[in-house]
């Protein structure tokens, strides 16, 4: 599992590379919490372009991050999910809980 980030205006774009499973989800949570502390006034886009799999453990983390940002008046958006990852959110009934975009450009433009 690898992570990269890019800052554009008041948005942190966080790139996740690899599998989000029971073994790697804690690393994701740690990294995102670190970003939230480092950039407390920034919205967050999670770019899933290079995520090949996501477990239910990762969904719990996404919900937690979404709620934490929302209580601080910030927004979490997700982009570039493949069909397998989207299906996990659909099965759990949580797909409508997140703002999901086909690509990073659309997610960024939605902040305009």
């Amino acid at each position: 599992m690898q992570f990269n980030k890019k800052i554009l205006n008041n948005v942190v774009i966080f790139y996740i590379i690899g599998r989000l499973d029971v073994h790697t989800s804690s690393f994701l949570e740690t990294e995102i919490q670190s970003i939230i502390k480092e950039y407390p006034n920034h919205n967050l886009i999670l770019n899933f372009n290079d995520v090949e799999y996501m477990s239910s453990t990762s969904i719990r983390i996404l919900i937690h991050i979404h709620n934490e940002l929302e209580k601080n008046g910030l927004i979490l958006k997700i982009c570039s999910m493949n069909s397998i990852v989207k299906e996990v959110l659909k099965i759990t009934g949580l797909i409508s809980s997140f703002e999901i975009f086909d690509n990073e450009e659309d997610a960024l433009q939605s902040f305009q």
Side-chain angles (χ1 to χ4, degrees):
M1 164 119 330
Q2 295 179 316
F3 307 107
N4 293 308
K5 71 177 181 238
K6 175 170 64 175
I7 314 300
L8 292 174
N9 300 321
N10 69 330
V11 178
V12 176
I13 304 167
F14 188 69
Y15 300 91
I16 306 163
I17 303 160
R19 294 175 57 88
L20 289 174
D21 56 30
V22 70
H23 303 291
T24 59
S25 291
S26 62
F27 297 116
L28 172 67
E29 187 169 28
T30 300
E31 288 292 320
I32 293 177
Q33 289 296 336
S34 176
I35 285 174
I36 290 171
K37 287 178 186 165
E38 186 176 353
Y39 302 96
N41 300 314
H42 285 62
N43 295 301
L44 180 63
I45 295 174
L46 300 180
N47 187 314
F48 274 67
N49 189 61
D50 295 313
V51 174
E52 46 204 58
Y53 171 80
M54 182 173 71
S55 71
S56 58
T57 306
S58 304
I59 294 171
R60 178 193 58 79
I61 292 167
L62 293 180
I63 292 168
H64 174 75
I65 297 300
H66 175 272
N67 291 340
E68 186 174 340
L69 288 170
E70 194 172 64
K71 79 177 180 187
N72 292 315
L74 299 169
I75 300 169
L76 169 66
K77 299 186 183 203
I78 301 172
C79 71
S80 305
M81 286 184 145
N82 67 34
S83 59
I84 295 168
V85 174
K86 271 188 185 175
E87 189 64 26
V88 172
L89 288 177
K90 285 180 187 174
I91 289 170
T92 60
L94 293 170
I95 194 137
S96 62
S97 299
F98 300 101
E99 288 189 61
I100 300 174
F101 296 85
D102 290 335
N103 56 60
E104 184 178 305
E105 295 78 25
D106 289 347
L108 275 169
Q109 285 181 355
S110 72
F111 284 110
Q112 303 292 326

